Amino acid sequence: DIVMTQSPDSLAVSLGERATINCKSSQSVLYSSYNKNYLSWFQQKPGQPPKRLIYWASSRDSGVPDRFSGSGSGTDFTLTISSLQAEDVAVYYCQQSYSPPYTFGQGTRLEIK
Amino acid sequence: QVRLVESGGGVVQPGRSLRLSCATSGFTFSSYAMHWVRQAPGKGLEWVAVILYDGSHQYYANSVKGRFTISRDISKNTLYLQLTSLRPDDTAVYYCARDVRGSEDYWGQGTQVIVSS
């Protein structure tokens, strides 16, 4: 199974500042035939189901603010929030869908400093 | 609009069975792979199972393989998860989700399963 490891486990950032969350997979999630990384990022707020923000490592879902961006390839990925807003307080998860079982990272809790 | 509504959760004794349902609307159910994902109290997300759009293949997390079965009824636009030999560590909120571009785009609100004697 592919193991997904996020860092840090928690993060406190000031409003308007940049937040960066890392995700590392135990093996490559790059599907060479399609040149796509099967890596997604999700945001979960308390009492709500998760919401997908990013798919294929760097493609933003419709309606997701452009302050959210994803980058990386192979085994190392990053979710960046360019200017933190109060509504971005949440737990963030990465997930690989390259090979079942489609494992999630352990989550990163993002708070306001 | 896309809607996913889970049901069937509840309190069940260890070793017993339960069937969860996910009623869908607002999209062509037969065209999409579908997932179940769960979340134990205060814990992170755990992917459980996926079924391909045509029902031809199913894949499971190691923790549920051989005990849970994912299925779908195209005529009812409904996804199912049959849970058997339930254990206390199966206690979680179970979400169904639609697959678009390789991962879960729309999610239901979840149904709670509590395994306790």
Side-chain angles (χ1 to χ4, degrees):
Chain A
D1 298 359
I2 299 176
V3 177
M4 307 300 291
T5 304
Q6 292 181 226
S7 62
D9 290 334
S10 63
L11 181 62
V13 174
S14 300
L15 290 173
E17 295 300 305
R18 178 184 300 263
T20 301
I21 300 170
N22 300 301
C23 175
K24 188 175 184 67
S25 57
S26 60
Q27 64 187 76
S28 176
V29 297
L30 173 62
Y31 203 133
S32 303
S33 304
Y34 301 141
N35 194 32
K36 292 192 185 301
N37 289 278
Y38 278 72
L39 188 286
S40 301
W41 288 97
F42 296 86
Q43 175 193 64
Q44 188 178 31
K45 298 180 180 180
Q48 297 184 17
K51 173 187 176 183
R52 193 175 70 181
L53 302 174
I54 303 286
Y55 60 93
W56 294 339
S58 59
S59 295
R60 198 180 304 114
D61 268 285
S62 175
V64 173
D66 60 7
R67 64 180 180 273
F68 291 92
S69 63
S71 62
S73 184
T75 61
D76 291 279
F77 301 91
T78 300
L79 174 69
T80 301
I81 308 172
S82 60
S83 176
L84 189 70
Q85 305 299 303
E87 61 265 32
D88 300 334
V89 169
V91 180
Y92 292 83
Y93 298 91
C94 62
Q95 183 202 28
Q96 66 81 18
S97 53
Y98 174 83
S99 170
Y102 296 147
T103 40
F104 286 93
Q106 79 276 20
T108 296
R109 185 174 301 276
L110 177 59
E111 300 171 335
I112 304 295
K113 185 187 292 184
Chain B
Q1 71 279 23
V2 174
R3 281 198 80 205
L4 306 170
V5 180
E6 302 93 338
S7 61
V11 181
V12 60
Q13 293 179 328
R16 303 297 291 265
S17 299
L18 206 59
R19 190 178 79 158
L20 307 183
S21 300
C22 171
T24 73
S25 60
F27 65 101
T28 304
F29 179 66
S30 59
S31 297
Y32 293 86
M34 297 293 295
H35 300 259
W36 287 99
V37 176
R38 69 182 181 181
Q39 187 167 35
K43 302 297 185 183
L45 301 173
E46 181 185 15
W47 179 84
V48 173
V50 65
I51 185 167
L52 298 191
Y53 73 100
D54 58 1
S56 62
H57 290 84
Q58 308 85 37
Y59 301 95
Y60 298 92
N62 292 334
S63 59
V64 307
K65 198 176 297 183
R67 299 189 301 122
F68 291 9
T69 302
I70 188 172
S71 62
R72 62 196 301 161
D73 185 334
I74 302 299
S75 68
K76 296 182 178 179
N77 291 333
T78 300
L79 177 72
Y80 300 102
L81 187 67
Q82 180 73 41
L83 292 65
T84 65
S85 302
L86 281 162
R87 310 186 303 219
D89 62 356
D90 294 318
T91 293
V93 173
Y94 285 75
Y95 297 101
C96 64
R98 186 183 76 166
D99 186 300
V100 168
R101 301 188 185 94
S103 68
E104 303 86 342
D105 70 337
Y106 277 93
W107 297 61
Q109 291 298 312
T111 187
Q112 174 83 60
V113 173
I114 298 172
V115 184
S116 173
S117 54

